[in-house]
Amino acid sequence: MNKKEILDLIALCDQCNICVGSCSTYRAAKNEAFSPPARLKVTEKVFKGESLSPEEIESIYNCPQCGLCDLICPKKIPISEIMDKCRRELAIRGLGPLDKHNKIIEGILKVGNAVNGDPDKRWDWLPDKFPERESDTLFYVGCLPSYLVKNSARSSYLVLKKLGVDFMLHKDEDCCGIYFYNSGRWDLAQEKFEENLERFRNLGIKRIITTCAGCFYCFKRYYPRLLDEFNIQVLHIVEMLPSLLQKMEVKPKKLKREVTYPDPCRLGRKEGIYNAPREALRLCGVEVKEMEKNKEKAVCCGAGAGIRSVYRDLSFNIARQTLDKAPTKTIVSTCPFCLFNLSYTSKKSSAGKNLVYITDLILESLSPASL
Ligand code: SF4
Ligand code: SF4
């Protein structure tokens, strides 16, 4: 999408406002400046080189790019993708990223992860001695699971082992680079993508399995956009689970639980992965009680695209919308970042929800004590 194409798409917006009520940031902030048509107007100013107010810049950076407006817009304007391009243009014009983004960017450049974790502690979650085995399949753990949502890393690793998947870990695993991309620093994203691709090539990697919906989306969609060639198959762990569970000789124990599964934007609406998590849970005897708005209409958790690191209150208020509407006490996620934000919000607001990563439940149903 070049500048002319973006401006042509923006010109299609007739301010019908059909999308406004669905926008989670608009609903949480109750501010029209943070609605899809307002963001398109700002983007037009950005690409026409006009001056911008701080609130206008904020409106571009506080959109979690959930993509719900893309689906609703009768003119089919790809608003969330236009936000990507707008952030890049803001960075080129020196108007972005914001100071808080820049601190995180400096951290990634210094320690190789987006959460300021000690690189020597990246593998602390690992229940075994580091497995020095080689494989053409890499289990790419990701920054958040490695440091802040360690249960998701640990249970994913153990489930892959129990299900007999041939995979390796990469001792020098580094950030996937999504934060650079989402903040508009595509120059840094490109460097990181090239660096990671070189590592994967040197290891002979043909397939990557991720546990984080953000890493998954970054490898699958952003890497091919910025790199000349990216021929590695990218899978989120949940895509593999139903068939692997079905093939098991000893069937998983039925856990007899009820949970809510709020579809993460980057796995659900953006990639259409709706059945695999529900089927994997069903095979383990876990019943999914659906949110009123689920699958392609699911409401964003409010964490993605760099907004939680800068607009924490907004992320909190968006997450409340999901927590308040979840019909069960236990909420299962396939995205460690959704899980982290929903869990934090539940604790802070005393919502009393129990947040678990999907493989935590799968592991429980596969563990010897349960069989
Ligand atoms: S992508 Fe989501 S948060 Fe951003 S403008 Fe669209 S509906 Fe609102
Ligand atoms: S639905 Fe589409 S055309 Fe209508 S206001 Fe939203 S972006 Fe503009």
Side-chain angles (χ1 to χ4, degrees):
M1 229 193 288
N2 61 32
K3 180 176 158 182
K4 182 179 178 311
E5 287 165 336
I6 292 167
L7 289 171
D8 287 349
L9 283 166
I10 293 171
L12 293 176
C13 176
D14 57 8
Q15 307 287 311
C16 71
N17 286 352
I18 289 172
C19 58
V20 173
S22 306
C23 174
S24 50
T25 44
Y26 166 74
R27 285 208 318 274
K30 297 182 179 57
N31 183 345
E32 281 205 13
F34 304 148
S35 69
R39 289 181 168 118
L40 289 178
K41 275 190 176 172
V42 172
T43 306
E44 186 177 19
K45 289 175 79 174
V46 171
F47 280 98
K48 286 184 172 170
E50 295 173 17
S51 58
L52 302 162
S53 70
E55 188 180 62
E56 286 175 326
I57 295 174
E58 184 178 354
S59 76
I60 302 302
Y61 274 111
N62 71 9
C63 160
Q65 300 181 357
C66 70
L68 190 52
C69 51
D70 306 350
L71 187 82
I72 287 169
C73 175
K75 300 287 171 68
K76 306 263 175 274
I77 304 172
I79 302 152
S80 61
E81 197 186 333
I82 290 175
M83 291 304 105
D84 260 349
K85 301 283 181 343
C86 188
R87 289 179 181 192
R88 180 180 177 234
E89 190 66 18
L90 284 173
I92 290 169
R93 285 181 59 187
L95 298 170
L98 308 176
D99 288 349
K100 280 192 184 171
H101 291 125
N102 284 328
K103 281 212 176 83
I104 293 183
I105 287 170
E106 278 166 29
I108 300 172
L109 293 170
K110 199 165 147 205
V111 294
N113 66 76
V115 296
N116 202 26
D118 178 346
D120 291 338
K121 296 189 171 165
R122 192 167 181 113
W123 298 102
D124 277 8
W125 59 268
L126 194 60
D128 302 330
K129 194 165 163 274
F130 189 90
E132 299 288 354
R133 68 195 309 273
E134 292 183 3
S135 167
D136 62 8
T137 296
L138 175 68
F139 171 38
Y140 185 91
V141 186
C143 302
L144 215 69
S146 298
Y147 291 104
L148 299 182
V149 194
K150 292 181 189 178
N151 59 302
S152 66
R154 182 178 175 278
S155 61
S156 295
Y157 167 81
L158 290 172
V159 163
L160 287 174
K161 271 181 69 171
K162 277 181 187 285
L163 293 177
V165 178
D166 172 52
F167 69 95
M168 67 171 287
L169 300 172
H170 181 28
K171 191 115 198 198
D172 297 326
E173 182 184 292
D174 203 289
C175 178
C176 67
I178 191 170
Y179 201 89
F180 295 148
Y181 189 96
N182 282 156
S183 67
R185 288 296 307 269
W186 288 16
D187 52 333
L188 294 176
Q190 178 139 11
E191 276 173 31
K192 180 58 76 189
F193 294 0
E194 280 168 3
E195 191 185 299
N196 277 335
L197 178 59
E198 186 65 20
R199 288 175 178 183
F200 300 152
R201 277 191 176 138
N202 290 341
L203 293 166
I205 299 302
K206 298 202 173 95
R207 181 170 76 151
I208 293 173
I209 302 169
T210 75
T211 193
C212 176
C215 299
F216 166 77
Y217 197 73
C218 185
F219 287 131
K220 189 153 185 180
R221 301 293 167 199
Y222 298 156
Y223 273 57
R225 268 184 216 168
L226 297 195
L227 299 174
D228 294 336
E229 209 186 351
F230 186 73
N231 293 326
I232 298 175
Q233 185 192 11
V234 181
L235 288 170
H236 186 281
I237 187 169
V238 78
E239 295 181 271
M240 309 168 69
L241 293 177
S243 61
L244 290 170
L245 288 167
Q246 266 156 354
K247 274 188 218 146
M248 284 195 70
E249 277 178 28
V250 182
K251 296 297 166 208
K253 160 131 191 239
K254 303 287 182 196
L255 295 177
K256 296 186 184 138
R257 307 262 172 86
E258 287 184 349
V259 303
T260 306
Y261 176 70
D263 295 83
C265 307
R266 280 156 191 76
L267 227 54
R269 189 161 38 248
K270 300 239 170 179
E271 291 296 322
I273 301 172
Y274 301 122
N275 292 334
R278 289 170 172 82
E279 180 61 6
L281 290 167
R282 190 189 67 76
L283 289 165
C284 296
V286 178
E287 188 184 342
V288 174
K289 297 281 179 190
E290 296 290 349
M291 300 276 292
E292 193 187 323
K293 294 199 171 158
N294 66 352
K295 300 184 179 173
E296 64 178 12
K297 295 193 180 117
V299 177
C300 177
C301 80
I307 78 161
R308 192 180 184 279
S309 55
V310 179
Y311 305 107
R312 192 160 299 183
D313 289 349
L314 185 61
S315 282
F316 178 90
N317 290 333
I318 297 173
R320 276 305 306 244
Q321 298 172 10
T322 296
L323 293 176
D324 289 347
K325 296 202 168 126
T328 62
K329 183 176 166 66
T330 300
I331 298 176
V332 178
S333 187
T334 45
C335 176
F337 204 18
C338 295
L339 193 155
F340 182 73
N341 193 39
L342 292 170
S343 183
Y344 169 88
T345 305
S346 177
K347 277 185 203 131
K348 276 265 173 194
S349 61
S350 305
K353 297 295 186 186
N354 173 32
L355 271 299
V356 294
Y357 188 73
I358 193 164
T359 47
D360 296 345
L361 290 177
I362 309 293
L363 181 64
E364 192 182 334
S365 82
L366 294 176
S367 67
S370 306
L371 290 170

